[in-house]
Amino acid sequence: MGSSDDSGRSATDVITYIGVPLAVLGVLPILYNTFMTLNALSRIKRMLRHSKLTALTRSDVVNRVIEVELPRYAVRPWDRFSDRAEYWTLSRHPSNIPGGSWTTFNWRTNVIGLNTQRVEYADQLRQPQVEVAFDELVCYLLDLGAVPDPHGWRLLRSTGLWTPVGCALMMSPDGKEKALSIAPLDGSDGHLSLAVTWAGPWTTRDSSQLPPYWVRLPPPSPSSSTEEDQTPDAGPSSDSQSVSAAEADADSKSTEPIKPSSATTKPSLDSARHHGTTASLHPITCQISTDGIVTALSDILPLEQSTLDLDTLHIEHLRTRSSFPSTPTFSTGSWFASAATAYGTSSQTILWNYRIPDPILSFARKETVPCGVLVLLDVVEEAKTPEWASTGRDRGIRGGIAQRAVAVQERLRRENEERLGDMRERLRMESQRRDTRMMEALQSPKWDAKLAAEHNLAWLQKNGHVPAELGMKEVVGTLLHRMVLDGQFAATLCRMLDLWKAWAENAGMRKSDYAALAEDQTTFAYATLLVAIIKDTSTALEGTLAMDLQECLRMWRTIRLG
């Protein structure tokens, strides 16, 4: 009996009862890794599908590694005018994957590379950050209604990449939630890393409101615009106005036979004339970039109905022209962009784009206008200026009286000859007096542009060049409006500014400079208003939130958003 039991426990039975379970136990880790890998891969694919992301996935079930290849994008906001639906609405499929906060908005995207990640679990997956221009991002959020956080921008300006993670740069309109904050630097390659959050109710602005980097220029009043049209120096020079003048001349000769070529161009001429005339009666909105004016739109239609293709005005005469450092003059575009930036900048301005050249800022801060010259031009009474005329002039007049007494005795002998001599003497004395007064006026104490502009504004109002009820800034707005539509006026005004700047940098005003001012005094008065606005702006925003924000935008042109 015992021998039969021993024969039943063979080596095969031992292997079967012991070896098989051990083999199964050895395979279980592989099966477990396979199950967990496939489960994680399924979750990753579901996350990608839910976020509407296209990715290439590969898995290694033995080593429990999942490889995900996602595209990297450069993005920018949609156009505010031609793509309003995408610009003002949020994305319908925002990503829930970490690093994908940028998918809250609709963007124009461009693939710039691929990002490969090797993960073990689904929650380790990260969506690649996108590259976006910092100024475009801030401009977009401000346009939607976000509010800058002064503390965050000051901290970012002072500490840079060491700014604590989570520090808020932009807040929701109610100031309770973070809209733009500092994100971890993982995968940012040394770039500034930010995260964005937004909700539909936070959008408090719409297309009818003026976006950042834009300025609205008011039209002149009907009375002042009529007077400007009658002045000889306000002739049209822009394309639309030149066409209008040609068409008006053609209409006056309507009784003459019309050539086929004229008939062919008449509809376009009528359209140009109507467009130019209508634009002069409505406000103009201008976009000012880092290089000067980019676009000018006539507000014939509300801003939310405007399109760049239909409403763009001719602005080639206002383009900024690059000049050599040795050239002392600035282009019309530089003067216009500087004045428009100053006009649109106030203590409430958060964001502006064009940086006024340092030579123009330095010129605007100087005292360059001799007060005696303003007296000679009848802009200000001499009693309101510091004493600048010498007493030697009075002694010269008394000496002339004594000489005339001697001339009376001589007149008995040579009456006819002395009459001519007396006339020449009076003319000489009068000429000497004028020359002396002129030299004293040129060397009189100098006033800054702001004080000169205040007196020139009163002179313009007194002579009917501008309405009496308008202040200095309102008048500057109408001048900029006219510069957009009238290229000859813009060129004349900027030549006067160049002349003024030249004598300010070259030992003061000369007789030839005074002659140019006296010949076109109205233009000089307009020029003082523009320089005064630039001077006010040069010191208005020092040490404010706007300065911190602008400095940060200059330090980081492109950032990573995730």
Side-chain angles (χ1 to χ4, degrees), residues 10 41 75 89 96 111 121 130 150 155 176 183 191 245 247 253 258 296 343 357 368 370 402 408 473 510:
S10 62
L41 180 62
V75 302
T89 58
N96 294 324
V111 178
Y121 302 101
V130 294
L155 193 61
K176 297 180 180 179
H191 291 77
E247 178 59 18
K253 302 178 181 179
I258 301 177
Y343 173 78
T368 56
V408 171
K473 188 163 187 177
R510 298 170 297 180

Side-chain angles (χ1 to χ4, degrees), residues 448-476:
D448 62 9
K450 181 63 178 294
L451 185 55
E454 292 174 353
H455 291 287
N456 273 310
L457 177 60
W459 181 86
L460 289 169
Q461 294 171 339
K462 176 183 176 181
N463 289 273
H465 296 289
V466 298
E469 66 274 8
L470 295 184
M472 186 182 301
K473 188 163 187 177
E474 290 77 10
V475 175
V476 170

Side-chain angles (χ1 to χ4, degrees), residues 302-346:
L303 191 60
E304 66 271 16
Q305 301 179 17
S306 299
T307 59
L308 291 177
D309 295 335
L310 297 178
D311 303 326
T312 301
L313 298 174
H314 177 80
I315 56 171
E316 288 304 316
H317 60 288
L318 297 178
R319 297 287 189 186
T320 303
R321 304 286 188 263
S322 59
S323 58
F324 295 100
S326 59
T327 304
T329 60
F330 284 86
S331 69
T332 302
S334 298
W335 285 113
F336 177 85
S338 300
T341 299
Y343 173 78
T345 302
S346 66

Side-chain angles (χ1 to χ4, degrees), residues 12 76 131 137 181 206 246 288 293 325 357 392 402 460 516 550 554 561:
T12 303
R76 63 181 309 179
E131 291 188 2
L137 173 63
S181 58
D206 55 38
I288 309 296
I293 187 171
L460 289 169
Q550 292 298 330
R554 279 192 286 268
L561 184 63

Side-chain angles (χ1 to χ4, degrees), residues 209-249:
Q209 296 171 297
L210 204 62
Y213 302 146
W214 288 70
V215 60
R216 179 176 279 112
L217 307 177
S221 61
S223 58
S224 63
S225 61
T226 302
E227 293 172 359
E228 289 170 359
D229 293 340
Q230 295 175 350
T231 57
D233 61 340
S237 66
S238 63
D239 291 352
S240 61
Q241 291 176 328
S242 299
V243 172
S244 301
E247 178 59 18
D249 182 67

Side-chain angles (χ1 to χ4, degrees), residues 73-80 82-83 106-110 131 136:
Y73 295 101
V75 302
R76 63 181 309 179
W78 286 93
D79 188 85
R80 191 182 196 266
S82 59
D83 305 298
N106 296 304
W107 303 92
R108 285 185 290 179
T109 60
N110 187 22
E131 291 188 2
E136 291 184 356

Side-chain angles (χ1 to χ4, degrees), residues 1 5 17 20 24-25 91 95 121 176-177 186 188-189 310 387 398 415 438 476 490 492-493 514:
M1 198 133 178
D5 291 337
Y17 295 129
V20 170
V24 170
L25 291 175
S91 174
S95 173
Y121 302 101
K176 297 180 180 179
E177 303 289 340
D186 301 339
S188 64
D189 299 329
L310 297 178
E387 183 178 352
R398 289 194 295 269
E415 183 176 356
M438 171 66 69
V476 170
T492 302
L493 183 57
Y514 172 80

Side-chain angles (χ1 to χ4, degrees), residues 400-427:
I401 296 174
Q403 293 178 7
R404 284 196 296 272
V406 175
V408 171
Q409 298 176 1
E410 296 179 352
R411 193 178 299 118
L412 298 175
R413 263 184 326 104
R414 301 167 54 183
E415 183 176 356
N416 293 334
E417 291 82 354
E418 181 57 31
R419 183 181 297 109
L420 295 176
D422 186 55
M423 183 181 299
R424 287 194 296 268
E425 182 67 15
R426 287 199 305 269
L427 292 176

